[in-house]
Amino acid sequence: MMHMSCFPRGFFTCIGRDGKVFDELKYVWLQGRQVWMYCRLYRTMDRFHKPEILEAAKAGGTFLRKFARIMGSGGQWKCAFCLTREGKAVKIQRTIFSECFYVMAMDELSRATGDTDMQLEAEQMMEQLIYWVQVDSSGLGRPHLPGDVPTNSMAVPMMLLCLVQQITEGRGQKVAEKYRDLGNWCVQQILQHVQRDGTAVLENVSFDGTELQGCQGRLQNPGHALEAGWFLLQYSTQWGDKELQKTAISKFVEVPYQSGWDKEHGGLFYFLDVDGNCPTQLEWSMKLWWPHCEALVAFLMAYQQTKKPELLDMFSQVYEYTFNHFPDAENGEWFGYLTQEGKVALDFKGGPNCFHHFRSICGSTA
């Protein structure tokens, strides 16, 4: 678990195998995830409903509210990607993901504390995200270059769908209906990534849902597809959409497993090329902790909804690999990065934060 610094709080995220902090930079993705996780534990699990858990979440939330947000171009708020120990911004990404995890943190913290100002902050940032994605992305700071082909990256609608589910959970029908059109849009954007007559999920497609040329267009990320699968399953359950449930299981759970599982060494490949070429990502053959965590959620949720025994078999195979390879038996916690053969490649902790672990171990309701 990440260590909380003394002042001005926030969490250290660069931790060695021995538990020592080797870099004091604080990454906003991980700060937001940690706040979300502590709040979720506090709210949903009796044995973690303790004052010290809530205080850790509140301290992390205070750090985020004070330092993460930065006024960008045109008066729009952006969130930094990386902060110093004291909270000074080091880097801003031209993407939406720091803001996404800020929304998750603030919404969950508002639920744990009853602070409606935090809920309002989450909703305001959510509206900014929707504007960037659906109306005008110039506030992200990316220049429009003549050779740059507009791309639908699956990560964007996936993350927005996750936020729709976060913000609407337990808020009543009125709030659910407010975000229903956005949720439906996210689903349709995700479904565009099913290509090659339903035999592959591609990470990037064109805005009109056609396959892109080159390495970018052929890229597959099995872990991402599996994560999208359980997001779609949750959404199909919320709205009683049986066809979406079938598609989620057959195309986003079963297909990525069949193509992404390493039949020689076990484990899920990080990246693949749909045509069998060597992916250009140098880490393509490595086995990372988070795809396996998300796969556990996807298979168990799919089995829970269908009772198909083959899905439970897939879950069991991923489970055995995960718990036989990633945990550090000597020092505790998990390693995050293994070689193709399943040996530890990078032995630090913290970067592979417990966000994905928590979701996989505590169940799909997380």
Side-chain angles (χ1 to χ4, degrees):
M1 193 171 289
M2 297 183 207
H3 294 187
M4 188 165 61
S5 59
C6 295
F7 185 83
R9 300 291 182 169
F11 306 99
F12 292 126
T13 57
C14 299
I15 302 170
R17 182 177 185 178
D18 58 1
K20 294 180 180 178
V21 175
F22 64 84
D23 195 321
E24 294 181 347
L25 291 176
K26 296 174 181 176
Y27 295 88
V28 171
W29 285 35
L30 307 188
Q31 303 295 316
R33 288 172 167 185
Q34 194 78 355
V35 171
W36 177 87
M37 187 201 68
Y38 280 139
C39 292
R40 199 74 169 189
L41 284 169
Y42 179 80
R43 285 201 312 115
T44 63
M45 301 186 72
D46 288 343
R47 68 191 181 100
F48 290 107
H49 192 79
K50 300 177 180 179
E52 57 267 31
I53 297 292
L54 182 59
E55 287 306 310
K58 288 165 67 175
T62 298
F63 181 81
L64 281 172
R65 296 178 82 186
K66 186 172 182 179
F67 299 112
R69 292 176 300 171
I70 298 169
M71 186 62 72
S73 60
Q76 298 175 345
W77 285 105
K78 278 284 291 170
C79 283
F81 172 70
C82 182
L83 304 167
T84 66
R85 180 177 184 177
E86 297 76 25
K88 297 176 182 177
V90 175
K91 181 180 179 181
I92 295 178
Q93 287 186 318
R94 295 169 178 175
T95 65
I96 65 169
F97 303 112
S98 290
E99 290 79 10
C100 288
F101 292 113
Y102 186 90
V103 171
M104 287 185 71
M106 291 302 109
D107 183 79
E108 194 64 32
L109 191 54
S110 75
R111 296 169 186 268
T113 62
D115 189 327
T116 57
D117 287 343
M118 293 181 189
Q119 182 185 346
L120 180 60
E121 281 185 29
E123 292 173 356
Q124 289 173 338
M125 186 64 80
M126 182 69 172
E127 293 304 312
Q128 181 65 74
L129 288 168
I130 296 168
Y131 181 80
W132 282 333
V133 172
Q134 293 191 329
V135 181
D136 181 6
S137 64
S138 62
L140 295 173
R142 290 198 301 263
H144 294 284
L145 302 175
D148 187 21
V149 178
T151 301
N152 171 5
S153 169
M154 191 164 66
V156 172
M158 270 182 63
M159 198 64 227
L160 283 183
L161 184 60
C162 178
L163 293 184
V164 167
Q165 292 166 337
Q166 172 70 41
I167 286 179
T168 61
E169 180 192 3
R171 302 275 192 204
Q173 192 64 23
K174 184 177 180 180
V175 175
E177 290 292 344
K178 175 183 176 181
Y179 289 100
R180 187 171 185 179
D181 285 346
L182 176 61
N184 290 340
W185 178 87
C186 292
V187 168
Q188 293 309 310
Q189 292 292 302
I190 294 169
L191 294 180
Q192 286 185 350
H193 292 264
V194 180
Q195 298 286 327
R196 306 287 179 100
D197 296 322
T199 63
V201 177
L202 302 181
E203 190 71 7
N204 304 295
V205 296
S206 70
F207 268 11
D208 61 3
T210 57
E211 187 173 332
L212 295 168
Q213 297 298 308
C215 298
Q216 182 186 28
R218 298 193 303 268
L219 183 66
Q220 294 176 286
N221 183 332
H224 237 180
L226 286 157
E227 186 178 13
W230 74 262
F231 288 1
L232 293 172
L233 281 174
Q234 276 198 325
Y235 195 76
S236 70
T237 299
Q238 180 182 1
W239 296 105
D241 190 334
K242 292 295 185 181
E243 285 303 312
L244 180 59
Q245 180 196 60
K246 293 178 183 178
T247 300
I249 294 173
S250 63
K251 304 306 180 186
F252 288 87
V253 178
E254 294 176 334
V255 166
Y257 172 80
Q258 291 160 1
S259 62
W261 188 259
D262 184 344
K263 295 175 179 58
E264 180 179 0
H265 300 290
L268 291 163
F269 287 111
Y270 194 23
F271 292 109
L272 291 170
D273 181 296
V274 70
D275 286 339
N277 299 306
C278 180
T280 55
Q281 290 76 14
L282 300 181
E283 71 276 27
W284 73 269
S285 64
M286 293 177 68
K287 312 295 168 57
L288 273 65
W289 85 105
W290 73 261
H292 295 79
C293 290
E294 299 302 332
L296 291 172
V297 180
F299 286 124
L300 202 57
M301 188 183 295
Y303 174 74
Q304 183 183 43
Q305 294 187 12
T306 66
K307 297 299 187 286
K308 290 172 64 175
E310 57 267 32
L311 292 168
L312 191 58
D313 290 341
M314 294 174 190
F315 169 84
S316 297
Q317 188 171 25
V318 177
Y319 180 93
E320 289 298 322
Y321 181 88
T322 300
F323 284 92
N324 283 331
H325 288 82
F326 290 105
D328 181 351
E330 182 179 348
N331 295 288
E333 300 203 12
W334 284 21
F335 298 112
Y337 303 86
L338 310 179
T339 66
Q340 182 176 353
E341 296 75 22
K343 298 185 182 301
V344 176
L346 305 171
D347 69 359
F348 57 75
K349 310 287 178 62
N353 64 89
C354 40
F355 173 75
H356 293 283
H357 304 74
F358 171 66
R359 293 208 298 194
S360 65
I361 293 171
C362 296
S364 58
T365 56

